[in-house]
Amino acid sequence: MNILDVRNLRKQYPGFLLDDVSFTVEDGSIMGFIGRNGAGKTTTIKGILNLLHVDGGQVLFEGKDLHANETACKERIGLVLGEFNYYKRKKLSAIAQVTRRFYADWDETLYQSLLTRFSLDTEKKISELSQGMRTKFAIALALSHHAKLFILDEPTSGLDPVSRDELLEIFRSIIEDGEHSILFSTHIISDLEKCADFITYLKGGRVLCSTDADSFKDAYRLVSGEAEQLERFRDRLIGYRAHAFGFTGLMKKEDAERAEGLKIAPADMESIMIYTEKEDDHESAAL
């Protein structure tokens, strides 16, 4: 079953169009939401949550129109927008005291257990916490009102590798029961390699693809060859980088299998995104 169903979401700005964005998030899964700056990820998230007026489309949460049932649906959605940067001078206890008033399903026993699990000191102020601890606090608040869907926008940005890995383990543990799901927007593609079940790739306001993570990677191959081979295979390359010894680039799997003479390797998510974004300009860089 799909916990979130985004259908043909559309928003027109001067110089930018979010063009019929559609994708689904399954129960018990992590959907990685990727795209370069300006692709429309934040606009999509705001449109999903009715934080901006969209020009068209529909958002279903647990089968209900989210915008028509906004209050009830948002009771079951946890939102973490980057670093938890609100009320920096307030203690965690004071923020939780206010937060619990907004949720009918607030579970104090669960909240207290999460404080212990995440080693959170409620007498500390937000300003006294590291960025990773602030994110843990935001997650604890969301879990404590029994959110079923977490929308995370750059939650690991700026964290050191150890802190990021710890948070990724928390994200995986959240969905283990099959009843919670995560929509995870990030520029740190290596994080998604470790935890994402599905990928939705937004480019220029449109969904380039939305599929499971394994299929996303298996659809492409990294290729490399000598300089004289570039002209021969240029039309099959999605994107490439030329250098003193030849070139490296990205091809669709089926094109790579027919590219005799090239070195072929599996593609990782980050390389797919980098070379796909080079598709329009085929950047050449001397290395």
Side-chain angles (χ1 to χ4, degrees), residues 245-266:
F245 304 102
F247 72 95
T248 58
L250 185 73
M251 283 185 179
K252 286 283 192 179
K253 177 182 178 181
E254 56 269 23
D255 288 333
E257 289 173 344
R258 294 185 287 108
E260 295 182 7
L262 296 184
K263 295 180 180 179
I264 301 172

Side-chain angles (χ1 to χ4, degrees), residues 60-207:
L60 300 180
F61 175 75
E62 295 185 318
K64 299 178 181 179
D65 188 303
L66 192 154
H67 294 178
N69 302 275
E70 186 171 356
T71 300
C73 289
K74 285 185 176 179
E75 283 263 352
R76 298 166 66 79
I77 296 175
L79 179 63
V80 180
L81 297 177
E83 182 180 354
F84 191 98
N85 238 345
Y86 315 108
Y87 311 112
K88 287 186 175 182
R89 298 183 180 180
K90 294 291 186 181
K91 293 181 178 180
L92 275 59
S93 56
I95 295 174
Q97 181 64 34
V98 172
T99 302
R100 61 170 56 94
R101 298 174 185 173
F102 289 94
Y103 296 103
D105 287 337
W106 180 268
D107 188 331
E108 185 64 22
T109 300
L110 177 58
Y111 174 65
Q112 293 298 328
S113 70
L114 290 167
L115 293 178
T116 300
R117 176 183 175 185
F118 297 157
S119 301
L120 290 164
D121 182 352
T122 59
E123 292 307 303
K124 283 191 174 183
K125 298 176 182 178
I126 291 294
S127 60
E128 297 174 322
L129 299 182
S130 68
Q131 185 174 337
M133 295 302 284
R134 294 181 192 187
T135 301
K136 288 181 182 180
F137 180 56
I139 292 170
L141 292 177
L143 283 170
S144 296
H145 64 80
H146 294 286
K148 293 297 184 181
L149 172 67
F150 292 81
I151 298 179
L152 312 178
D153 191 9
E154 299 291 341
T156 58
S157 178
L159 297 180
D160 63 79
V162 175
S163 297
R164 291 206 332 263
D165 190 66
E166 185 180 6
L167 281 177
L168 295 180
E169 287 185 9
I170 292 171
F171 299 160
R172 292 300 303 181
S173 69
I174 287 173
I175 67 164
E176 280 180 352
D177 61 5
E179 296 180 0
H180 298 82
S181 304
I182 296 175
L183 176 61
F184 185 179
S185 173
T186 183
H187 287 107
I188 306 176
I189 307 302
S190 59
D191 285 351
L192 297 181
E193 292 269 10
K194 298 176 181 178
C195 72
D197 303 297
F198 299 89
I199 296 292
T200 293
Y201 184 177
L202 209 59
K203 182 181 180 185
R206 296 183 177 182
V207 174

Side-chain angles (χ1 to χ4, degrees), residues 216-283:
F216 177 68
K217 290 186 291 185
D218 190 54
Y220 300 92
R221 293 290 185 270
L222 291 174
V223 298
S224 60
E226 299 178 358
E228 57 267 25
Q229 294 176 299
L230 180 56
E231 283 303 317
R232 178 183 172 191
F233 295 108
R234 190 191 302 266
D235 61 341
R236 301 189 204 176
L237 289 163
I238 294 170
Y240 66 87
R241 179 184 286 115
H243 50 77
F245 304 102
F247 72 95
T248 58
L250 185 73
M251 283 185 179
K252 286 283 192 179
K253 177 182 178 181
E254 56 269 23
D255 288 333
E257 289 173 344
R258 294 185 287 108
E260 295 182 7
L262 296 184
K263 295 180 180 179
I264 301 172
D268 56 271
M269 291 183 188
E270 186 167 337
S271 295
I272 292 170
M273 183 174 173
I274 289 171
Y275 284 110
T276 298
E277 296 299 333
K278 290 180 181 296
E279 181 179 11
D280 297 329
D281 55 16
H282 291 308
E283 175 187 353

